[in-house]
Amino acid sequence: MHWRTDIVSCSLICTFKAMKIKCLSSKLRQHVDRIMEVLRLFLLVAWLLQLVSAQTITDPAEVDALNKMIDYWNLRSKLNLTTDPCAQNAPWASENANPRVTCDCTSNPCHITHLKIYALDILGEIPTELFMLRKLMDLNLGQNVLNGSIPAEIGQLSNMQYLSLGINNLTGQVPSELGNLTKLISLSFSSNNFFGPLPKELGNLTSLQQLYIDSSGVTGPIPQEFANLKFLRILWASDNQFTGKLPGFLGALTELSDLRLQGTLLEGPIPSSFHALNKLQDLRIGDLSGQDTALDFLENQRSLSILSLRNCRVSGQIPKRLGTFGNLQLLDLSFNKLKGQIPTSFQDFPSLQYLYLGNNNLSGELPLKIISPKLIALDVSHNPLSGNLPLNFAKVGLSINVIGTSINANRKALAILHCLQGNTECSNKILASSFAIKCGGTQLTSASGTEYDDDSETLEAASFYTSSDQWVVSNTGNFISNPNGPIYIAKTDSQITGTLESELYKTARISPSSLRYYGLGLRNGKYNIDLHFAEIAMDDSLSWKGLGRRVFDVYIQGERVLQDFNIQKEAGGSKRALVKTFKANVTNTIIEIHFFWAGKGTCCIPYQGTYGPLVSGIHVSQVSGGNSSSKHNKKRVGRLVGIAVGCAAVLVISSSVFYIWWTRTKDSSSHMRVFTDSPKDNLVR
């Protein structure tokens, strides 16, 4: 019986232990469940915290300001902020986005630091909401149609490093508050319509490296405070009405690599302090009045690749050391008062592509090897040079202009034009009394029967073209950085308004510097000159592309007849015909019509290299005297056959006066030196 008792006892013990283990297991399970619940709660909280931290929050005031600007400038279709402006990986934050918004989120909340609305034709004024973005470092509103003035509140954006307001329609004075932006590295307000002087406070921008103020409309002297801009590397200031002397303190800005001062009212000479600008790579100064300038300041600027001192009253001889400037690609010393011979050192330029020495008083012969391996264009026109062209003058890709010299070029028309250089009489066996040219286009007969000659020949950076010994066209200049390449003819398929001769205006000659037409073998006497213009390269739309201004001068027989001429402004818009009529005397069988760029007007609207003179057609006809031998007069069959009795006395008196004037002119042994003294007196002021 004991063994049964033992079995029962063991069974009871096992049952008790099992119950105990079961109880312990239940408690353990409860503890584990509690731990798991706490762990799940912890993970949930951590996830929520991570989710919250991942959601960027921008300063609400900045978000509100940005949205108001988007609506004011009608940009919602281009910049629809469906999430926070500073959200990570937002499409408007990429490097190539436009509009573009980027932020600094190193602190809470995030702040907008970059805003770009570039070339989107936004209209209106600069809204006050912009100045709520107090942390802005980079603001680009360039190439739009903004108007009004720059608000003084711009000075509150003290973190600004890059500010671009160029190519707009802004007006008013440049605010002095810009001088508060002392962290600025780059500032642009070029191609606007400001007035008044530059504020001296801009001299506070001592970190500035780039300053673009060309064609901005500012006037007066360049402030002395600009001498503080010691880190300035780029200064574009052309096409402004600056007055006074060209400042010597610019020579203290020794970090300058690009300086452009063309088309101003500044006076020379170029200061000797410019010799310290040894880092210059691009120097363009032009159209100085006042005192003559020597080239002594050019000493160690051997980094120069572009050197243009056109129409600066540069006198003396060309220094031989210029030939050691091995990086030069373009050298323009035209329309100056240089004399002596062209240095033989000019044979050694390793990189020179464009050499312009025209309209000086250079003499002697051309250096034998002046046509270096990379030379593309050589202009020595209107100098008392003689001798022969270099042996390699026919090099492929080279253009040469020697009009107005005594260089033997084996061209009949050039032989005729040799008389322009001295006191010899110009003559031609066949005398004409009119000619007409369809500039840049093919032959055309107008509704009135005038035959316009074909002028579609391709001209290059220094070239000329003759047409049957009746007229010559000459071009010099290079459109630097033009994306369309060396094109000297403008064309359009659009209809030209304001005329019944639309086809006449659909092509035009254009030039970056100097475009001349010469009528040859004309009867001496008084002539009407009709110049036909239509602006076909710049539009007048409401886009930023319609903000360009083409400005140039026109000379006839060496006398300036148009100054700061703007086709679009006078015609009342683009693609509208305009005819300007003038009178001139021919005393040596030749007439010269000269279209000259004096550095004024915008340079880069709608693209780089959009500037310089443009002309669509020329019609020259004698006012009276002699029978015409020109083909252009053969179709003129309508003649007056009677005069009222009351006008007879006036006719007799007028005829008598004209006869006395004509006979005195005819008997005179002198003649007008059209291409020597007169143009220089006007161009080299």
Side-chain angles (χ1 to χ4, degrees):
M1 293 294 294
H2 293 289
W3 60 274
R4 291 181 179 177
T5 303
D6 292 339
I7 292 174
V8 172
S9 298
C10 287
S11 182
L12 289 170
I13 292 170
C14 289
T15 300
F16 175 76
K17 288 182 177 181
M19 290 176 65
K20 187 176 181 180
I21 290 171
K22 191 173 183 180
C23 289
L24 289 173
S25 177
S26 176
K27 290 180 179 181
L28 181 62
R29 190 179 298 113
Q30 290 177 1
H31 284 299
V32 170
D33 290 342
R34 288 176 182 172
I35 292 172
M36 292 300 295
E37 185 177 350
V38 171
L39 183 60
R40 282 194 295 270
L41 182 61
F42 174 78
L43 292 174
L44 178 61
V45 171
W47 179 76
L48 289 173
L49 289 174
Q50 184 178 9
L51 182 64
V52 170
S53 64
Q55 290 181 343
T56 306
I57 297 178
T58 306
D59 185 327
E62 295 184 20
V63 176
D64 181 62
L66 182 60
N67 276 302
K68 287 181 178 179
M69 285 189 289
I70 291 171
D71 291 332
Y72 174 67
W73 282 327
N74 195 26
L75 291 171
R76 190 63 64 181
S77 61
K78 295 181 174 65
L79 183 59
N80 190 10
L81 299 178
T82 55
T83 60
D84 191 278
C86 296
Q88 292 184 2
N89 301 318
W92 51 79
S94 67
E95 190 70 28
N96 297 322
N98 186 27
R100 183 176 186 237
V101 180
T102 62
C103 306
D104 177 12
C105 292
T106 56
S107 62
N108 191 14
C110 295
H111 294 284
I112 297 171
T113 57
H114 293 65
L115 177 62
K116 179 177 74 172
I117 305 173
Y118 174 73
L120 295 179
D121 289 331
I122 55 175
L123 300 167
E125 300 182 356
I126 298 175
T128 56
E129 286 81 5
L130 176 66
F131 308 112
M132 295 298 296
L133 309 183
R134 297 293 179 87
K135 301 296 183 180
L136 267 182
M137 299 169 59
D138 188 338
L139 175 62
N140 186 351
L141 300 178
Q143 294 185 204
N144 287 293
V145 202
L146 296 173
N147 56 31
S149 60
I150 300 177
E153 290 88 343
I154 193 77
Q156 299 173 7
L157 305 180
S158 57
N159 288 322
M160 191 74 70
Q161 296 181 19
Y162 301 90
L163 175 58
S164 177
L165 301 172
I167 308 184
N168 274 285
N169 205 19
L170 296 169
T171 56
Q173 291 191 318
V174 178
S176 60
E177 288 78 5
L178 283 173
N180 297 339
L181 310 183
T182 55
K183 295 181 181 180
L184 271 178
I185 295 173
S186 178
L187 171 62
S188 171
F189 51 84
S190 60
S191 299
N192 277 285
N193 295 306
F194 298 111
F195 60 82
L198 286 170
K200 63 180 182 179
E201 287 79 5
L202 293 182
N204 298 335
L205 308 180
T206 54
S207 297
L208 201 63
Q209 297 180 24
Q210 302 174 4
L211 180 58
Y212 304 95
I213 57 176
D214 49 301
S215 302
S216 61
V218 293
T219 60
I222 298 175
Q224 173 71 36
E225 288 76 8
F226 273 37
N228 299 327
L229 308 180
K230 301 296 185 181
F231 293 101
L232 197 63
R233 294 189 296 106
I234 298 175
L235 174 57
W236 291 13
S238 297
D239 185 35
N240 289 305
Q241 295 189 35
F242 293 129
T243 56
K245 295 279 189 180
L246 181 60
F249 60 75
L250 292 179
L253 307 182
T254 54
E255 294 298 316
L256 276 174
S257 62
D258 191 340
L259 174 60
R260 307 185 189 184
L261 272 169
Q262 298 170 300
T264 70
L265 301 179
L266 289 171
E267 299 177 5
I270 298 175
S272 59
S273 61
F274 278 35
H275 79 276
L277 303 179
N278 295 332
K279 295 184 179 180
L280 280 173
Q281 299 176 23
D282 190 334
L283 175 61
R284 307 182 202 182
I285 300 175
D287 315 290
L288 297 178
S289 60
Q291 300 179 30
D292 289 355
T293 287
L295 295 177
D296 297 341
F297 72 93
L298 291 172
E299 295 180 0
N300 299 309
Q301 294 89 344
R302 287 179 169 79
S303 296
L304 278 169
S305 60
I306 296 175
L307 174 58
S308 177
L309 303 177
R310 177 177 173 272
N311 197 24
C312 284
R313 298 187 63 91
V314 179
S315 60
Q317 297 188 352
I318 301 175
K320 294 180 180 179
R321 62 180 176 275
L322 268 184
T324 65
F325 286 29
N327 291 313
L328 269 180
Q329 297 180 28
L330 183 147
L331 175 59
D332 189 347
L333 300 176
S334 61
F335 294 94
N336 283 300
K337 304 169 70 175
L338 292 167
K339 62 182 180 180
Q341 295 187 335
I342 300 173
T344 56
S345 61
F346 275 33
Q347 300 178 131
D348 303 321
F349 279 118
S351 303
L352 193 65
Q353 299 179 36
Y354 302 92
L355 178 58
Y356 297 103
L357 301 175
N359 288 266
N360 280 286
N361 199 30
L362 299 171
S363 57
E365 299 186 5
L366 295 177
L368 289 176
K369 298 181 181 178
I370 192 171
I371 301 176
S372 52
K374 293 188 177 180
L375 195 66
I376 295 173
L378 172 62
D379 169 41
V380 292
S381 59
H382 300 287
N383 281 287
L385 293 164
S386 57
N388 297 318
L389 289 173
L391 294 177
N392 59 339
F393 76 92
K395 188 185 81 166
V396 175
L398 175 69
S399 61
I400 303 179
N401 196 330
V402 295
I403 280 183
T405 72
S406 295
I407 294 173
N408 181 16
N410 296 320
R411 292 284 189 94
K412 184 178 179 182
L414 285 179
I416 295 173
L417 291 174
H418 283 172
C419 64
L420 308 177
Q421 189 52 55
N423 289 318
T424 60
E425 290 286 346
C426 296
S427 62
N428 195 341
K429 293 180 181 180
I430 302 175
L431 295 179
S433 60
S434 73
F435 65 93
I437 305 169
K438 172 68 175 72
C439 303
T442 57
Q443 185 178 13
L444 174 72
T445 301
S446 70
S448 62
T450 302
E451 292 185 9
Y452 288 84
D453 287 340
D454 183 303
D455 182 29
S456 60
E457 184 76 14
T458 299
L459 292 183
E460 298 176 5
S463 60
F464 59 90
Y465 168 70
T466 64
S467 173
S468 304
D469 296 340
Q470 189 166 7
W471 56 265
V472 177
V473 58
S474 167
N475 175 69
T476 60
N478 175 39
F479 287 113
I480 303 173
S481 304
N482 190 321
N484 298 320
I487 299 176
Y488 299 94
I489 291 178
K491 298 180 180 180
T492 184
D493 293 326
S494 300
Q495 192 72 11
I496 307 300
T497 60
T499 179
L500 298 177
E501 308 282 1
S502 182
E503 292 301 317
L504 177 61
Y505 299 90
K506 289 187 176 182
T507 65
R509 283 281 184 198
I510 54 176
S511 175
S513 177
S514 172
L515 177 67
R516 280 181 162 115
Y517 282 90
Y518 310 90
L520 309 178
L522 294 172
R523 298 177 184 275
N524 290 336
K526 183 174 289 187
Y527 282 77
N528 283 329
I529 300 99
D530 293 331
L531 304 180
H532 298 263
F533 302 99
E535 180 55 74
I536 59 175
M538 295 179 175
D539 66 40
D540 56 356
S541 66
L542 297 178
S543 166
W544 67 267
K545 295 179 180 180
L547 298 176
R549 291 181 294 106
R550 183 188 304 279
V551 179
F552 59 95
D553 297 343
V554 180
Y555 294 77
I556 297 177
Q557 299 296 62
E559 300 298 324
R560 186 165 54 197
V561 296
L562 290 173
Q563 184 176 15
D564 299 340
F565 177 52
N566 184 328
I567 301 170
Q568 189 182 75
K569 182 178 180 180
E570 290 217 18
S574 294
K575 299 180 178 62
R576 292 184 59 86
L578 174 67
V579 182
K580 303 291 285 187
T581 300
F582 306 94
K583 294 188 185 308
N585 290 322
V586 171
T587 60
N588 197 21
T589 75
I590 290 179
I591 192 168
E592 179 216 31
I593 304 169
H594 186 191
F595 305 90
F596 181 77
W597 181 62
K600 298 179 181 180
T602 55
C603 69
C604 311
I605 304 173
Y607 48 80
Q608 289 277 343
T610 306
Y611 62 92
L614 176 152
V615 59
S616 300
I618 297 172
H619 182 206
V620 175
S621 58
Q622 193 170 23
V623 174
S624 61
N627 294 322
S628 171
S629 62
S630 168
K631 64 181 179 181
H632 305 297
N633 290 321
K634 292 179 180 179
K635 294 192 177 185
R636 296 179 178 178
V637 295
R639 299 287 184 183
L640 294 176
V641 294
I643 300 174
V645 174
C647 298
V650 176
L651 177 61
V652 170
I653 295 172
S654 300
S655 299
S656 301
V657 172
F658 176 77
Y659 175 76
I660 293 171
W661 172 84
W662 183 80
T663 54
R664 287 182 179 178
T665 304
K666 181 175 181 289
D667 293 339
S668 174
S669 60
S670 64
H671 66 276
M672 183 184 296
R673 294 181 61 194
V674 177
F675 306 101
T676 53
D677 293 342
S678 293
K680 292 179 183 177
D681 289 342
N682 286 281
L683 292 178
V684 186
R685 300 186 299 274

